[in-house]
Structures are given as C-alpha cells and as structure tokens.
Amino acid sequence: MLDITSHANLVEVTITRAIGEEITMSNAVFVLDHAQRPLRPVHPAVARRMLNAKQAAVFRRYPFTIICHAGVSTGAPLPLRLKIDPGSKTTGLALLDGFRLLWAAELQHRGQRLKAALDARRAVRRSRRQRNTRYRQPRFANRTRPAGWLPPSLWSRVCNVMTWVERLTRYCHITALSQELVRFDMQLMQDAVVSGIAYQQGELAGYEVREYLLEKWHRTCAYCGAKNVPIQVEHIIPTARGGSDRVSNLTLACAPCNQKKGAQTAAEFGFPQVQAQAKRPLKDAAAVNATRWALYAQLCATGLPVECGTGGRTKYNRTRLGIPKSHWGDAACVGASTPEALDVAGAQPLGLRARGHGGRQRCRTDAHGFPTRHLARKKRHFGFQTGDIVRATVPRGKYAGTHVGRVTVRARGSFNLSSKDIHVKHVRLLHRADGYDYGFSPSLELGEKPSLSPIQPNVRCSGWSTSRRN
Ligand SMILES: [Zn+2]
C-alpha cells in the first residue's frame, strides 16, 4: 500500500491503484499548457512521470488536471465528444475520442434538497401571515414567470450539467456534444412493422418499438397480467381483420392469451380497456422532459454541435456493447455516434455530488423559532471556507492521525472535519470549495453519510454499477 499520508505522494494517492488490485481503467488526466490551454489528455502513468520529472505541476485535483511548464507539451489537443445521460437524481457524463472512453463521471444532483429548503422557507413565510402582527399586503399573485421558467429544483439540474460542460471545456478540447433527449423515437416507431423490421428499418426501429411497448404495458401481459413470462408483441385489432402495424395497435400478451385471442379484437376478447389504453401515447415523466429540453437549449447555446439520442438507442447500444447498466455507461452509449466497439472494462468514473455554495442564513434558531446562535458575516476564516477539501495532520491528542475531507469552518479556528474538531494549524488545503464533493459512490442516496473520503485512492466501479436508475 502506498503511504497516503505523505504530501509528496499526493499524486500517487489520486491516480495510482494499490498493488495486487485488479487492472482497472483509470480516467485520463487532463493536461494544460503553461498558458492554461488544453493539451492532449494523458494516461495517469504518463502524468505521474511528468510530475516526478518536474515537467508539470498539479493544476487541479477534481477533475485531475496537470499544467505543463513552458516548453513542455503532450501533443495537440484531442478532439473529444462529451456524452450526457441526464437523470433526475444522477446524470452520467462520458468523454470519448471516437472509439475510446477517456473519462467518465456520475453527477449527483441536489434537487430534492433544494425543494425541501424552499418548502421550509415557504412555511416560515406562510406562518408569518397568520401571526397577529400589522397588516401585510398579500404577496402571492403579483408575480409573473419568464418564458421557459423551471422550478428551482429542476433548474439546478440543468445548471449542474452546464457547470461541468463548461469546466471540462476548459481542461480538454470538446468539439461535439451528445445528449439523451427523449425516451423513445416516436418518428422511428410510427409505422414500424413488427414482422420484417430487420429488413425494412434496421434493428434499432424494432428495438425502440419493443422497449416502448414494454414501458407502456409495464412488462406484463395486457390480458391476464402475467409477469416474468415470455411476452409477445400482439395486434389489438388482428392484421387478418385489417389492423395496422402502428404502435397504437400493438400491445403485449403472453403466449396462451395470444393463442386464445386468435382473430378477435381486444374488445371482442373482453378487454375494451386495452383498446382504449392503446390509443393513449405514453407520457414521459413531465419533469424529466422539461429538464431535458431546457438542457438541450443550454447545450445548443454553447455553439457546439449537439447530437440527440433516444433512451431506446442508448439501451440498444449498451446491450450491443455489453456495458453494465450505470449512469456513466449509459452516457457513453448515447446517440448514433457511439462506436462499433467500446472497451470500458473496469472504468473508474469520478463521483461528483452537488453541494451548493452554502446558505445566506446567518441566524440559527431553536425548535420554537427563537434565535439562539449567529454565524459570522464572512464565510472565510483563516483562509478556509466551508466546503474546502483539506488534509489535516494532527500530531497528538484524541484525533491524532491524518484526516482528509470536506471541512466546516468555525470563526474560532477549531474546524469540523468529519465530526472531528481539528485546529486550523493542522489543516492544509487540497481543493477549494467549488460547489461539489468528489469521489463518492453515486449509488449512495442523497443525505446519506459518505463511506469514502473524497480522496480515496481506489474507488472501484463494481459497487457503482449496481446503482438503480433514477
Ligand atoms: Zn396472458
């Protein structure tokens, strides 16, 4: 095991895996020239060699970026495509150079926390109206919302993704973007024929139809409700009776029901509700849709070409390439630009978690709302602020040892680092607070205590890929 306490080993800790661990693919290290322009990203081993040879210095820890001294270069910047799979809780990010996955990350949003905070504020304001105080004019119906307004919890998701698009643009040469925009490609499905799809419109069209039907009919037989049995695509009005192959005439049935129904329509078979439901298109979760379109508009505003993919195509690509289900894996599979072969075995995506930039509330109250304690007016104390990632080396006492993590500052100089009181004199800065926490396993739910320190050297992806999709 490497000595992770040594400052000289700062880089080793960030980019090297322990001896004896299975071979994993690390994220590439971003490289800047001396004028902070992006150069060709390099393998961590190359970065380590350059740092040891004093050809470069650490520019930034998250994402790990080095800056070359004047006269040193790693080559012309590589044109990269940033692929995004937006989700309500977690968004996957992947950087591809055509056929290789260079860098991946999973970004945890804080939409739910935002909503809770705004609900709390609203409750306080509402209660004020009920109190026996001077008359206050009602103030609830005197505002308009600008076009394209999104609730703050949704807007924060768009902003989080844009923050990372902009950051990555600073550290590498991104020339194109891909985004999963919709779940299913309705255009592609409209006249898809169930039989002979492979000849007429290619495999993808059939895939979209199947996925769409599975989603719409909840993966069950529409007639008997059977689950986990082989399910067939079934015509509600049989083709023999003039029924079309449009998706609105298709449902799912188990083999016995399909047999029994024969040449009857669903209504004749005793299921008029199936016929009625078939006419209704599947509605996406409206929130996800609004967010995705807002994100699309923002991505287009960057001026880079934006490729849109469907959820059906993402899943098709992921199955075809044999990539395990994960947010970053989905991101790598977004869109038609996905390469024929893509090796992502043992990829180590960086965990990003949105934490905000602190609150403006300077007065904390007790349970009854009486002010009990006050925060200092300034946020920065002794050169640190809450959210900075620091390393503390405490020589003796109750908390003797080395601690790494996100610090909570106090005006009196005794900081809180993972529930330990540590004096500022033992603390040194690793990464300035930038609204995010790093290295956490994205499968952890929001609000849960992290099990890994943000600088944990060997974050393995095995635990991540099991994370459920939002
Ligand atoms: Zn059935």
Side-chain angles (χ1 to χ4, degrees), residues 221 223-226 253-254 256-257:
C221 170
Y223 301 110
C224 70
C254 63
C257 287

Side-chain angles (χ1 to χ4, degrees), residues 37-288:
R37 290 173 301 231
L39 292 171
R40 188 185 183 88
V42 294
H43 189 274
V46 177
R48 183 167 55 243
R49 212 168 54 220
M50 290 174 69
L51 288 163
N52 287 342
K54 302 270 188 292
Q55 292 175 328
V58 177
F59 182 74
R60 193 190 159 95
R61 268 169 179 269
Y62 305 106
F64 197 68
T65 310
I66 59 173
I67 182 163
C68 292
H69 294 308
V72 181
S73 172
T74 55
L78 213 52
L80 299 174
R81 176 179 285 275
L82 175 62
K83 306 180 101 181
I84 303 161
D85 172 32
S88 66
K89 269 189 190 155
T90 308
T91 291
L93 302 169
L95 270 176
L96 272 75
D97 77 334
F99 58 97
R100 269 185 314 164
L101 178 70
L102 281 192
W103 188 88
E106 298 201 348
L107 169 57
Q108 273 189 358
H109 299 293
R110 55 184 208 117
Q112 215 45 52
R113 275 188 195 181
L114 266 179
K115 186 175 184 317
L118 291 176
D119 283 348
R121 187 181 73 181
R122 186 182 302 122
V124 169
R125 290 184 174 170
R126 292 246 164 99
S127 80
R128 184 171 65 200
R129 300 210 59 76
Q130 310 305 319
R131 268 178 267 144
N132 193 13
T133 53
R134 67 175 168 82
Y135 173 74
R136 285 182 166 98
Q137 204 178 19
R139 267 166 54 91
F140 59 90
N142 61 350
R143 275 155 257 207
T144 54
R145 283 172 176 165
W149 178 90
L150 277 180
S153 57
L154 302 188
W155 186 239
S156 88
R157 288 171 190 146
V158 176
C159 291
N160 285 339
V161 176
M162 289 316 292
T163 297
W164 279 93
V165 171
E166 278 155 26
R167 276 186 194 173
L168 291 171
T169 313
R170 252 178 274 148
Y171 308 130
C172 60
H173 183 48
I174 294 175
T175 53
L177 303 168
S178 298
Q179 184 208 355
E180 186 183 302
L181 189 59
V182 286
R183 295 292 302 279
F184 304 103
D185 186 346
M186 300 305 290
Q187 208 66 42
L188 193 60
M189 281 192 309
Q190 263 327 305
D191 295 307
V193 180
V194 175
S195 55
I197 283 165
Y199 303 103
Q200 294 188 13
Q201 285 163 352
E203 218 175 327
L204 184 62
Y207 204 88
E208 294 261 355
V209 172
R210 270 200 306 277
E211 285 299 315
Y212 178 84
L213 290 173
L214 286 170
E215 182 87 13
K216 183 171 175 180
W217 297 97
H218 310 294
R219 293 162 198 279
T220 55
C221 170
Y223 301 110
C224 70
K227 265 186 188 177
N228 303 320
V229 293
I231 280 183
Q232 301 172 345
V233 174
E234 202 262 344
H235 288 84
I236 292 168
I237 300 171
T239 33
R241 306 269 299 273
S244 75
D245 285 321
R246 298 177 78 92
V247 259
S248 58
N249 190 39
L250 298 175
T251 182
L252 298 175
C254 63
C257 287
N258 204 353
Q259 279 285 322
K260 213 176 344 161
K261 180 166 170 281
Q264 301 172 78
T265 67
E268 290 165 3
F269 191 48
F271 292 89
Q273 74 277 14
V274 170
Q275 214 142 0
Q277 199 194 330
K279 290 217 181 73
R280 284 194 293 272
L282 172 68
K283 284 214 179 73
D284 235 344
V288 174

